[in-house]
Coordinates of all heavy atoms in Angstrom, one line a residue:
L176 N -18.2 -20.0 3.4 CA -17.1 -20.1 2.5 C -16.0 -21.1 3.1 O -15.4 -21.9 2.4 CB -16.5 -18.8 2.2 CG -17.3 -17.9 1.3 CD1 -16.5 -16.7 0.8 CD2 -17.9 -18.6 0.1
L177 N -15.8 -20.9 4.4 CA -14.8 -21.8 5.1 C -15.3 -23.3 5.0 O -14.5 -24.2 4.8 CB -14.6 -21.5 6.5 CG -13.8 -20.2 6.8 CD1 -13.6 -19.9 8.3 CD2 -12.5 -20.2 6.1
S178 N -16.6 -23.5 5.1 CA -17.2 -24.9 4.9 C -16.9 -25.4 3.5 O -16.5 -26.6 3.4 CB -18.7 -24.9 5.2 OG -19.0 -24.3 6.4
A179 N -17.1 -24.5 2.5 CA -16.9 -25.0 1.1 C -15.4 -25.3 1.0 O -15.0 -26.3 0.3 CB -17.3 -23.9 0.2
M180 N -14.5 -24.5 1.5 CA -13.1 -24.8 1.4 C -12.7 -26.1 2.1 O -12.0 -26.9 1.6 CB -12.3 -23.6 2.1 CG -10.8 -23.8 2.1 SD -10.0 -22.6 3.1 CE -10.3 -23.2 4.7
D181 N -13.3 -26.3 3.3 CA -13.0 -27.5 4.1 C -13.4 -28.8 3.3 O -12.7 -29.8 3.2 CB -13.8 -27.4 5.4 CG -13.2 -28.3 6.4 OD1 -12.1 -28.1 6.8 OD2 -13.9 -29.3 6.8
M182 N -14.6 -28.7 2.7 CA -15.1 -29.8 1.9 C -14.3 -30.0 0.6 O -14.1 -31.2 0.2 CB -16.6 -29.7 1.6 CG -17.5 -29.8 2.8 SD -19.2 -29.7 2.4 CE -19.9 -29.7 4.0
M183 N -13.9 -28.9 0.0 CA -13.0 -29.1 -1.2 C -11.7 -29.8 -0.8 O -11.3 -30.7 -1.5 CB -12.7 -27.7 -1.8 CG -11.8 -27.8 -3.0 SD -11.1 -26.2 -3.4 CE -9.9 -26.0 -2.1
F184 N -11.1 -29.4 0.3 CA -9.9 -30.1 0.7 C -10.1 -31.5 1.1 O -9.3 -32.4 0.8 CB -9.1 -29.3 1.8 CG -8.4 -28.1 1.3 CD1 -8.7 -26.8 1.8 CD2 -7.4 -28.2 0.3 CE1 -8.0 -25.7 1.3 CE2 -6.7 -27.1 -0.2 CZ -7.0 -25.8 0.3
A185 N -11.3 -31.8 1.7 CA -11.6 -33.2 2.1 C -11.7 -34.0 0.8 O -11.2 -35.1 0.7 CB -12.9 -33.2 2.9
G186 N -12.3 -33.4 -0.3 CA -12.4 -34.1 -1.6 C -11.0 -34.3 -2.2 O -10.7 -35.4 -2.7
F187 N -10.2 -33.3 -2.0 CA -8.8 -33.5 -2.5 C -8.1 -34.6 -1.8 O -7.4 -35.4 -2.4 CB -8.1 -32.1 -2.4 CG -6.6 -32.2 -2.4 CD1 -5.9 -32.8 -3.4 CD2 -5.8 -31.6 -1.3 CE1 -4.5 -32.8 -3.4 CE2 -4.4 -31.6 -1.3 CZ -3.8 -32.3 -2.4
F188 N -8.2 -34.6 -0.5 CA -7.5 -35.7 0.3 C -8.1 -37.1 -0.1 O -7.3 -38.0 -0.3 CB -7.7 -35.5 1.8 CG -7.1 -34.1 2.3 CD1 -7.7 -33.4 3.2 CD2 -5.9 -33.7 1.7 CE1 -7.2 -32.1 3.6 CE2 -5.3 -32.4 2.1 CZ -6.0 -31.7 3.1
H189 N -9.4 -37.2 -0.2 CA -10.0 -38.5 -0.6 C -9.5 -38.9 -2.0 O -9.1 -40.0 -2.2 CB -11.5 -38.4 -0.6 CG -12.2 -39.7 -1.0 ND1 -12.6 -40.6 0.0 CD2 -12.5 -40.2 -2.2 CE1 -13.1 -41.7 -0.7 NE2 -13.1 -41.4 -2.0
A190 N -9.6 -38.0 -2.9 CA -9.2 -38.3 -4.3 C -7.8 -38.7 -4.4 O -7.4 -39.7 -5.1 CB -9.5 -37.1 -5.2

Side-chain angles (χ1 to χ4, degrees):
L176 290 191
L177 289 181
S178 306
M180 178 191 75
D181 201 63
M182 290 185 186
M183 179 195 73
F184 282 121
F187 160 54
F188 299 141
H189 178 92

